Amino acid sequence: MTTRRNFLKQSLLAAGAASVPAGNLLAQEKMEEKRPKYNLPYKNTYLKEPFVTENEFRTARPETITPGTFEEAKQILPDPTWSGHEKEIEMYWKAWQIGIGNIKAPEPDSGFVCSYLDVAYNGNIFMWDSAFMMMFARFGTRFFPFQRTLDNFYAKQHPDGFICREIKADGADCFERYDPTSTGPNILPWSEIVYYKQFGDIDRLHKIFPALCAYYKWLKLNHTWRNGTYWTSGWGTGMDNMPRVEPKYNPIYSHGHMIWLDVCLQQYFTAGHLLEMGFYLERWQEIEEFEDEQKMLKKYINENLWDEKEHFLFDQYADGSLSSTKGIYAYWALLTDVLSKERMDAFVAELDNKETFNRLHRVPSLAANHPKYKDNGRYWQGGVWPGANYMVITGLLQQGYRKLAYEIARNHYDNVLKVYKNTGTFWEYYAPEHEEPGFMARPNFVGWGGLAPISGLIEQIFGIRSNVYEKKLTVDVNLTEAYGIDRYPFGLDGLVAIKVKARSSATQEPQVEITSDVPLELTVLWGDKQKTANVKPGTQTV
């Protein structure tokens, strides 16, 4: 007998069958029936998303990968040097040591498909944390396939495209999918495109593309208001207790009938990443409508969420008025082209305002002149968070504000270093007004606590950034001391060693010795100057 549910089920399966082998569809069907975590205590209301039928992680066999020892890792990982800064190098290796100790194997019958880097919080995996963690963990790919941490989220994708933001070690979602706190932020594509530009792993792009597109479409279908803008909740943003919704709503659990700026910005730049992946894979035409959403979001943000008096972006309440909460959530705009140059300059200038974001430890998550700002951070009421800072600094570099990016990066790095010297470890987040961990912050948090000592050192302090797809390597020299790095990964097979000679002043032209086993274009930046050279395999000085 054909029921309405079976008819819909068969129709949607047929929609995806053109691009997916029938065997894979049947395998996923059987897998669904066996998954105890999907035996939910209510009726099945899934409308299957065709992209999900291509998600091979959902039927993959679990693989336990036992990492080598830390001593073995030290012979494989990128090896930095910095004249006169032994403690900073010690901090770099300590972060790796703690992180490697947090690698976990998938539990039996969890549905997880690979060993992974744990977030160091409560034993669960978090979408938000894990995406940020890969920003530093990618540098350790030759030692352990850290990026496959994200595979466990793809493996737990629901038939309609939903992915829970927090999943227990036994594979159980922590939230029902229509709970306002159930998912987000959608920054997985950002993490994946960063990995791709470091290693050029096109095979991975082919695998992850369907899962990422399906999740994007789920959010578009289920987390938008009637005008196409997005909503979420405090937990859904990852910025749990930031005072954003009106007082009559719960700041953590409620969507507050509000248009949430950061989600709109994240969907905007995520659409861009997915379209970029689509071009690499020659599948962009399948998601061409994402461009239309980008145009709509850009227009709405500029016309409705920009405050001309404050020169800042804000959330919008149900009555059309703007929130007055200045928070780091607005700076997701740095990763987009939403604002004009004039508006962006004014917007970025707020980061230098000592009344709001230019505090002892930059950048506080909440503006210091907000009534709920706390000098000890109290989580997202001023706390300085490694992931949020990584976003701000990366965005500033992307927008061309290199000087400010370095100032903030160095301030954050130096404060993390001071706390490390005092405590011997890394913390979940930091206080904005004191050289200490944030209120009730968790220790040994690597976790995203590894961002400053690893990515911060390599990308921001040393200024070494690469794009393997374009075969380009940049060394942005701000230091005057001699420094360098060995075993820097450039693509899946390439290795690069860089030595920057000491300078007498920041204006002196740097001399960079580079040893590479692959050809690339090297650009050296210092101040407002630059030089470029085509590097052949071997050693040369630029």
Side-chain angles (χ1 to χ4, degrees), residues 393-402 405 459-460 465 476:
I393 296 163
T394 301
L396 288 171
L397 289 169
Q398 182 174 307
Q399 296 291 340
Y401 300 97
R402 288 174 40 242
E459 297 179 78
Q460 299 160 6
R465 302 183 285 272
D476 189 351

Side-chain angles (χ1 to χ4, degrees), residues 8-283:
L8 286 169
K9 175 178 172 182
Q10 291 163 8
S11 299
L12 286 160
L13 279 173
S19 57
V20 184
N24 194 38
L25 293 175
L26 292 173
Q28 290 205 16
E29 284 291 287
K30 291 179 180 178
M31 185 68 74
E32 292 298 336
E33 294 172 2
K34 293 179 180 179
R35 282 183 174 173
K37 308 305 176 190
Y38 282 163
N39 289 338
L40 304 175
Y42 33 76
K43 291 186 177 181
N44 181 349
T45 60
Y46 287 115
L47 293 178
K48 296 196 174 185
E49 162 57 47
F51 269 121
V52 177
T53 63
E54 294 185 63
N55 179 354
E56 61 186 74
F57 297 102
R58 300 178 77 240
T59 54
R61 294 182 180 275
E63 182 179 2
T64 297
I65 302 172
T66 303
T69 65
F70 173 62
E71 291 305 316
E72 291 171 332
K74 290 187 73 173
Q75 306 305 312
I76 300 171
L77 295 169
D79 185 12
T81 58
W82 186 1
S83 180
H85 291 265
E86 290 74 19
K87 199 68 177 179
E88 286 86 338
I89 301 303
E90 175 196 305
M91 183 169 77
Y92 169 86
W93 288 115
K94 183 67 173 181
W96 277 120
Q97 184 178 23
I98 295 174
I100 290 168
N102 285 330
I103 295 173
K104 290 189 175 181
E107 288 190 8
D109 300 319
S110 64
F112 290 177
V113 293
C114 189
S115 299
Y116 58 95
L117 181 58
D118 183 54
V119 303
Y121 185 71
N122 61 1
N124 300 344
I125 63 171
F126 288 77
M127 181 188 298
W128 167 246
D129 295 60
S130 296
F132 273 122
M133 285 153 48
M134 296 306 101
M135 300 300 190
F136 75 82
R138 75 182 193 272
F139 292 112
T141 295
R142 300 286 172 82
F143 170 71
F144 184 84
F146 289 104
Q147 195 72 16
R148 293 185 62 186
T149 295
L150 304 185
D151 295 359
N152 293 320
F153 291 97
Y154 308 143
K156 302 300 294 185
Q157 186 167 49
H158 289 226
D160 59 355
F162 170 79
I163 303 175
C164 194
R165 69 175 186 86
E166 181 183 358
I167 305 173
K168 295 178 181 178
D170 67 2
D173 287 352
C174 289
F175 305 94
E176 196 278 331
R177 71 191 195 278
Y178 294 128
D179 187 316
T181 66
S182 68
T183 194
N186 182 18
I187 61 171
L188 293 171
W190 180 34
S191 183
E192 293 286 9
I193 205 74
V194 168
Y195 177 82
Y196 176 71
K197 290 182 178 180
Q198 186 78 45
F199 292 99
D201 188 351
I202 195 71
D203 290 339
R204 180 167 179 84
L205 276 194
H206 278 289
K207 291 179 180 179
I208 64 175
F209 182 74
L212 294 175
C213 289
Y215 179 50
Y216 179 95
K217 291 177 70 177
W218 188 91
L219 287 170
K220 187 177 187 299
L221 181 65
N222 295 285
H223 270 237
T224 50
W225 299 120
R226 62 194 297 177
N227 63 359
T229 58
Y230 283 82
W231 61 265
T232 184
S233 62
W235 266 0
T237 66
M239 303 181 182
D240 306 5
N241 66 331
M242 187 180 289
R244 293 174 63 177
V245 296
E246 293 178 280
K248 62 184 177 181
Y249 297 103
N250 185 285
I252 296 176
Y253 306 131
S254 177
H255 58 50
H257 296 101
M258 188 171 78
I259 293 171
W260 295 68
L261 170 67
D262 45 349
V263 193
C264 293
L265 291 167
Q266 287 158 2
Q267 284 294 92
Y268 180 91
F269 92 100
T270 290
H273 289 321
L274 293 175
L275 286 162
E276 184 179 0
M277 291 181 191
F279 279 110
Y280 297 145
L281 303 173
E282 297 184 357
R283 297 189 64 176

